[in-house]
Amino acid sequence: MPGPATPSLERSPAAPPDGDGRKIIHVDMDAFYASVEQRDAPALRGRPVAVGGSRQRGVVAAASYEARRFGVRSAMSSMAAVRRCPDLVFVPPRFDVYKAVSGQIRAVFARYTALIEPLSLDEAYLDVTDAGGPGSATRIAEEIRAAIRAETGLTASAGVSYNKFLAKLASDHRKPDGLTVIPPGRGEAFVAALAIDRFHGVGPVTAARMRALGIATGADLRARSAEALDAAFGKAGRYYYWAARGVDHRPVKPDRPRKSSGSETTFPQDLTTEAELVAGLAPAVAAVWRHCEASGLRGRTVTLKVKYADFRQITRSRTGPDLLSSQDVLAATGRDLLRGLFPLRAGVRLIGLTVSGFETPPAAEPRQLTLSL
């Protein structure tokens, strides 16, 4: 899987370290998909649970904390997960249920602020700067966590701080069911003690590069100059420079527009013929187009993802001059990309499709009526 995207925190080296008086909360549900399944099926409580796939095939979409103790993680193949945890229980995902619960959680957030930036179904930033007086952000976070537990039966962890970067670090600090506050003046010290791979935006590959350079903690990172980090990591270097100092001036952006929509399917048996692959693509086409219709957005770029039986993965993309106009056009583009894979190097275990470059299509021109005189 690709590493996490690196946020941009660029500011001049004279940027103030403690933000501008903002109060930011990051709320992150605990093992969300797996916790919903354990809530709805009492027999699963206390047992290691994986959402997704099956014991023989597929990929873990989410793992309960009981499963994580064995090293089971999301995006791990089902077979690898079973090797680590032979008693692992697999349950199929129920995304309609997760979305409904996410709506309940979002309604709780809206009682306190309109400045809500969802990151996924199970986490969001909230700007509560104007929601109360001193200490109010911590109180609001406590109330939100209590309301979520009472109304959904689930637990959430929260981080409270003066910027998004620190709030997200804080929410992960005492998981599960934890609350951590990083007040002004404490951010740099909090970051200094963290291992470098705990930084949002530092994936496994980058963490390995940093350790090779002698950077293992936030303190090590802070000891490097902006110029040295720019030279080593390009545009991301300036982000790392400010992150090591606990600085982040990004605002909470309500209802961020989605830039893409994708869906993928892992199959119980490998697909080997063109007819099988075309049939296997159909659910992804339908799911992506449902989002396009619901959002009113259209894209120009179609990306096909294929994972072979040996787990080698490839992608193929096509960008057209016009926005996709219908589900049939999307399906035809996907089929064309599939045909470019033949002859197959191996059987196919997974097919995914993504549409990106979303825009709102122009309004249709009114038709000119011609009157016979």
Side-chain angles (χ1 to χ4, degrees):
M1 294 182 67
T6 303
S8 174
L9 307 188
E10 286 196 32
R11 277 286 177 112
S12 68
D18 282 342
D20 49 12
R22 291 181 299 158
K23 300 173 184 177
I24 309 298
I25 302 172
H26 180 261
V27 180
D28 193 5
M29 299 301 296
D30 298 321
F32 182 51
Y33 295 174
S35 294
V36 170
E37 298 301 334
Q38 290 177 314
R39 179 198 69 176
D40 293 349
L44 296 177
R45 295 173 191 173
R47 302 179 66 186
V49 173
V51 176
S54 65
R55 295 184 69 86
Q56 290 75 32
R57 301 184 64 83
V59 175
V60 175
S64 68
Y65 282 99
E66 295 87 352
R68 294 181 190 187
R69 295 189 190 107
F70 290 87
V72 178
R73 295 289 184 270
S74 62
M76 178 180 289
S77 74
S78 298
M79 294 182 67
V82 170
R83 285 196 293 269
R84 296 189 179 211
C85 181
D87 295 328
L88 190 62
V89 180
F90 284 87
V91 295
R94 299 181 297 154
F95 291 108
D96 56 337
V97 175
Y98 309 147
K99 188 173 182 180
V101 176
S102 180
Q104 290 180 271
I105 295 164
R106 175 73 178 269
V108 173
F109 297 160
R111 297 170 195 168
Y112 297 90
T113 180
L115 296 177
I116 304 165
E117 181 180 342
L119 301 180
S120 61
L121 291 178
D122 62 338
E123 65 173 316
Y125 290 112
L126 288 71
D127 187 328
V128 296
T129 305
D130 298 324
S136 60
T138 302
R139 173 183 55 78
I140 289 170
E142 290 171 340
E143 291 180 3
I144 285 173
R145 294 176 61 244
I148 289 172
R149 182 192 291 269
E151 296 174 30
T152 71
L154 303 171
T155 63
S157 295
V160 180
S161 196
Y162 52 90
N163 65 46
K164 291 166 71 172
F165 173 72
L166 292 173
K168 187 169 177 66
L169 287 179
S171 70
D172 192 48
H173 191 57
R174 290 193 173 95
K175 268 188 163 290
D177 198 19
L179 172 63
T180 299
V181 180
I182 306 175
R186 301 285 184 85
E188 192 166 350
F190 185 90
V191 171
L194 291 181
I196 200 64
D197 53 8
R198 293 280 305 281
F199 279 50
H200 177 49
V202 176
V205 174
T206 301
R209 286 181 60 198
M210 287 187 173
R211 285 192 289 267
L213 294 172
I215 302 172
T217 66
D220 296 333
L221 187 62
R222 189 179 60 204
R224 305 302 172 101
S225 69
E227 292 74 20
L229 293 173
D230 287 345
F233 301 102
K235 290 191 300 181
R238 197 54 54 102
Y239 162 71
Y240 301 138
Y241 176 85
W242 287 119
R245 289 156 176 79
V247 176
D248 180 0
H249 296 280
R250 294 173 299 155
V252 171
K253 297 179 180 178
D255 295 316
R256 296 184 309 165
R258 287 180 61 173
K259 297 179 180 179
S260 66
S261 177
S263 178
E264 59 186 42
T265 304
T266 299
F267 306 104
Q269 289 88 33
D270 295 337
L271 310 184
T272 57
T273 69
E274 182 176 334
E276 289 175 338
L277 266 66
V278 168
L281 180 67
V285 171
V288 170
W289 193 254
R290 279 197 300 271
H291 172 77
C292 293
E293 290 282 82
S295 65
L297 300 173
R298 301 290 185 268
R300 285 188 172 84
T301 300
V302 178
T303 301
L304 175 73
K305 172 183 173 182
V306 168
K307 185 179 290 185
Y308 293 104
D310 58 5
F311 283 87
R312 178 173 175 259
Q313 180 176 300
I314 64 169
T315 59
R316 297 289 185 268
S317 295
R318 178 176 298 175
T319 300
D322 302 314
L323 296 175
L324 294 162
S325 58
S326 69
Q327 182 171 335
D328 289 342
V329 173
L330 173 60
T333 305
R335 289 194 297 269
D336 286 346
L337 291 170
L338 274 176
R339 292 187 184 105
L341 303 181
F342 284 87
L344 294 175
R345 63 181 301 277
V348 170
R349 61 180 283 118
L350 176 148
I351 294 178
L353 194 74
T354 298
V355 172
S356 56
F358 279 154
E359 299 177 22
T360 301
E365 293 290 333
R367 290 188 298 176
Q368 184 82 24
L369 294 180
T370 302
L371 301 180
S372 298
L373 300 178

